[in-house]
Amino acid sequence: MPIDELDGRLIELFAAEPRVGVLEASRRLGVARGTVQARLDRLARDGVIAGHGPQIDPAALGYGVTAFVTLQLRQAGGHDPVAARLAQVPEVIEAHTITGPGDMLCRIVARSNTDLQRVIDVIVDVAGVERASSVISLATQIPYRTLPLVRAVSGPAGRGAPRGRAPG
């Protein structure tokens, strides 16, 4: 679903200030309150805005170690049952089915390197997991972000440009 410049400005405003409120957003953007509410409703309905909750920093909760774990799965069981079991492990904060030498990539957090070993042991014990390979993140160079995508599709240069190529 294409978004326009107003949608992009609205998303940026709410990303920067989640508590701004519809009335204040309408004032800052120079549009009617109903326009802001209708745009937010459409963006949420279409799945562009996936949530309005707070962003949680695992390190602030005591989980200062982040690691990425590639899993090789037993082919007979499939990915879904393994993912359902991994969802029961609180330290597994993300999991993706992948291509390449592994079958699933998980982002996990732990309180320490010793705790990381415990978490990996829990993951390897999950039925359907055959092997795990992990790498520890030393520093986050680029945090998870989506606003550059919003700017790319909502700005004047983004509209009408073929996907994956810069205009002109």
Side-chain angles (χ1 to χ4, degrees):
M1 177 218 97
I3 63 173
D4 64 16
E5 185 179 353
L6 178 57
D7 291 333
R9 291 175 45 219
L10 185 62
I11 291 168
E12 285 199 52
L13 176 60
F14 275 92
E17 299 179 54
R19 296 179 179 200
V20 72
V22 173
L23 186 59
E24 179 63 15
S26 70
R27 187 187 67 73
R28 290 190 195 181
L29 297 173
V31 296
R33 181 195 176 287
T35 299
V36 170
Q37 188 63 60
R39 296 284 184 122
L40 288 172
D41 291 346
R42 179 179 49 80
L43 291 166
R45 182 188 67 239
D46 292 348
V48 175
I49 295 177
H52 299 279
Q55 293 181 350
I56 308 300
D57 181 1
L61 296 175
Y63 293 90
V65 176
T66 298
F68 296 89
V69 180
T70 303
L71 303 178
Q72 290 181 349
L73 306 181
R74 194 171 313 115
Q75 297 303 311
H79 296 88
D80 292 343
V82 173
R85 292 181 196 103
L86 290 173
Q88 301 304 308
V89 180
E91 296 87 355
V92 176
I93 59 174
E94 198 170 4
H96 301 267
T97 301
I98 60 170
T99 62
D103 299 307
M104 192 171 282
L105 180 67
C106 301
R107 181 165 48 136
I108 65 173
V109 294
R111 295 183 181 276
S112 64
N113 286 346
T114 303
D115 189 43
L116 176 62
Q117 181 63 60
R118 177 194 60 81
V119 174
I120 291 171
D121 289 345
V122 168
I123 291 170
V124 171
D125 278 346
V126 168
V129 174
E130 287 188 346
R131 186 173 296 114
S133 172
S134 62
V135 294
I136 296 174
S137 172
L138 299 177
T140 302
Q141 299 298 327
I142 301 173
Y144 178 82
R145 63 198 186 128
T146 55
L147 286 181
L149 298 174
V150 170
R151 291 179 191 122
V153 300
S154 68
R159 279 181 264 141
R163 292 182 186 235
R165 291 184 12 181

